[in-house]
Amino acid sequence: MQKEFQFQVLPEEAADQEALYKLASQKAYIPFSDIRHVEVLKRSIDARQRIIKVNLTVRVYVNEDFVETPTWLPDYPDVSSAEEVVIIGAGPAGLFAALRCIELGRKPIILERGKDVRDRRRDLKAINIDHIVNEDSNYCFGEGGAGTYSDGKLYTRSKKRGDVQRILKLLVGFGATKEILVEAHPHIGTNKLPEIITDIRECILAHGGVVKFNTRVTDILLKGDAIEGVTTASGDIIKAKKVILATGHSARDIFELLDRKKIAIELKPFALGVRVEHPQSLIDTIQYKCDDRGTYLPPAPYSIVKQVGSGTNTRGVYSFCMCPGGVIAPCATSPGEVVTNGWSPSKRDQPSANSGIVVELRPEDFKAFAKKGPLAAMAFQQSIEQMAWKEGGQTQRVPGQRLLDFTNGKLSADVPETSYKPGVTSVELGSVLPDFIYKTLQEGFREFGKAMKGYLTNEAVVHAPESRTSSPVRIPRDQETLEHIAVKGLYPCGEGAGYAGGIVSAAIDGEKCAEKAVGYVAEVVGE
Ligand code: FAD
């Protein structure tokens, strides 16, 4: 017999099978000797009270042996001679689109401008150490896309996006820990992601798909109102009737290409701000209300949102992509710009906690760039990244300011070393950020300081800018067919097209676009 129930335990109890048996026995009135196994189905930390508890949903096996469910992957057929679907971009959207194509009997041809995960490492080293940005291979471009050298957080704010659990199960099938199916806020970590991405690529190749690295798409070929193929930087023409465009939010050349070719795109407001780094121990103290988090609690995350300003000037300021025990990375995709983002290893064991703190933007914020039409938000984003590069010293050094100095508009006398490897230059960040963003962030941080005692400190360092939070452009598509509103056979997909915001939602969108491209119609269960 199996019994499922929920209870709260202390963190040390959650880590101890014997303790869980005892608790299950007491709470469910099951004789201890009848319990064969306690399987944890869901786990989350409740840090709202002084005594921190872990919420568990468990399944107790009573006089019944536990049989571990094997990891699952679909029964992928060989598609080497099947009809082709061209996929531009090997980020989560492109890779999951390719897997779904294979599952549904089509041959995916992935064209990726960057290198495979192993060779990509050299370019990450070059940007961190030598300040050299490779425009095709960096933290955003290359196999696995922006998701590879990331924190690998796997939760999505909107449950409406689709079947999150299916994506998590696929990731487990490709080698991710089963814990991601249990944790309320699962993450994988930069050290584990490349291996998973490699396994996905090997699966695609083993079943007859094609993956071409160092292959930047430079043109989209049309015949009337339908796609006919693409051209690559080396001049090759690849004919295709179905093209999934999953090039991510940083592929500015693709947005410019679409605009030049008069393939409709739209301005999309995004969020922009800074990335702040605190000692992890300080965040632990604030969040867990204790001096030391001990052995059983993970490095504490935080998530905060405040509305600041008044009337029509009210704006949301919020934490974005918070990385406990993580590192701030230089994420520029072109020389002459500075961009920050964050990652963490699977253990999140680095000494600092970093988070994007961003301000929501509106269409009217991009007025100064109106002549750029639908590319106005992108031009605004680019101008701030270029200003950061200039103020930081025209290398990958990032302009930075101590947090309290930032809120007081005061240049920091010095800025300590942070996890951002290329280095930090002390700059009064009002010279990098537009005034309305600077002031909104200052007010936002003051509000955060009231909600999280100790947060507003000069021990923390603000780095600017955090600017690639989501795409500054939307590529409009038909809600039903998911094809571009004016180009048959072209499927704008993932974060760059404006239909995802993170690894899991990009993967879900990749699957959806693949289904439409192959003409798959889901069976309706129960009719
Ligand atoms: P992308 O991942 O951007 O992939 C697009 C791909 O297209 C790239 O590989 C690029 O090289 C390729 N490409 C671009 N132009 C061309 C072209 N012209 N020809 C051929 N190929 C092209 N999200 C989370 O959910 N959790 C996190 O913890 C997280 N942390 C992050 C940390 C960092 C450092 C970064 C940079 C991002 C992070 N993100 C995180 C965001 C996440 O990575 C993206 O939301 C996700 O990768 C978007 O997937 P995508 O497939 O739509 O696009």
Side-chain angles (χ1 to χ4, degrees), residues 89 91-93 112-113 141-142 145-147 150-153 217 246-248 342 495 502-503 506:
E112 166 57 54
R113 72 194 292 164
F141 295 161
S150 76
D151 199 30
K153 285 180 283 294
V217 168
T247 43
E495 184 155 32
I503 295 167

Side-chain angles (χ1 to χ4, degrees), residues 80-335:
S80 41
S81 35
E83 217 175 288
E84 293 173 355
V85 175
V86 165
I87 299 168
I88 315 176
L95 291 175
F96 278 79
L99 290 171
R100 190 75 176 130
C101 280
I102 296 176
E103 199 181 341
L104 299 174
R106 296 295 196 286
K107 176 177 179 172
I109 314 275
I110 301 185
L111 310 177
E112 166 57 54
R113 72 194 292 164
K115 302 177 185 171
D116 69 32
V117 281
R118 226 185 48 195
D119 288 348
R120 219 177 140 182
R121 279 182 201 278
R122 269 185 232 130
D123 299 305
L124 301 188
K125 195 167 164 219
I127 192 169
N128 274 292
I129 311 284
D130 307 318
H131 302 257
I132 295 169
V133 183
N134 180 330
E135 289 185 86
D136 289 315
S137 176
N138 45 58
Y139 276 96
C140 294
F141 295 161
E143 187 179 23
T148 307
Y149 296 99
S150 76
D151 199 30
K153 285 180 283 294
L154 299 175
Y155 36 97
T156 160
R157 285 176 204 219
S158 165
K159 298 271 178 263
K160 280 189 238 144
R161 291 201 195 261
D163 193 347
V164 173
Q165 206 60 16
R166 179 183 149 87
I167 301 298
L168 297 184
K169 281 189 191 156
L170 282 167
L171 285 167
V172 170
F174 286 109
T177 163
K178 282 187 172 171
E179 289 294 298
I180 65 171
L181 303 172
V182 169
E183 295 294 341
H185 293 108
H187 90 115
I188 296 185
T190 305
N191 49 327
K192 307 263 180 189
L193 283 155
E195 224 171 292
I196 294 166
I197 302 290
T198 304
D199 281 3
I200 293 178
R201 181 223 310 152
E202 282 171 358
C203 172
I204 292 169
L205 296 176
H207 292 88
V210 173
V211 184
K212 293 185 182 210
F213 294 114
N214 303 304
T215 305
R216 180 166 20 106
V217 168
T218 51
D219 201 3
I220 286 172
L221 306 174
L222 303 175
K223 190 170 184 190
D225 66 350
I227 192 126
E228 209 190 11
V230 298
T231 308
T232 70
S234 58
D236 291 340
I237 289 178
I238 296 163
K239 292 270 184 188
K241 288 199 181 105
K242 308 274 180 186
V243 174
I244 296 178
L245 182 65
T247 43
H249 61 27
S250 291
R252 289 180 174 152
D253 42 4
I254 288 290
F255 297 138
E256 282 161 357
L257 170 73
L258 296 175
D259 193 42
R260 237 181 4 258
K261 291 186 84 86
K262 308 226 174 327
I263 297 176
I265 56 171
E266 296 164 359
L267 176 151
K268 183 179 140 304
F270 60 106
L272 187 142
V274 293
R275 190 157 276 264
V276 64
E277 180 169 289
H278 287 79
Q280 180 62 52
S281 54
L282 174 61
I283 299 299
D284 290 344
T285 304
I286 297 171
Q287 295 296 83
Y288 294 146
K289 303 163 202 80
C290 59
D291 292 335
D292 180 352
R293 73 169 189 268
T295 315
Y296 299 102
L297 286 170
Y302 66 88
S303 168
I304 189 160
V305 56
K306 293 281 169 199
Q307 298 296 323
V308 303
S310 57
T312 51
N313 278 329
T314 308
R315 281 181 195 262
V317 183
Y318 58 92
S319 56
F320 169 82
C321 189
M322 194 269 156
C323 301
V327 166
I328 302 185
C331 292
T333 46
S334 291

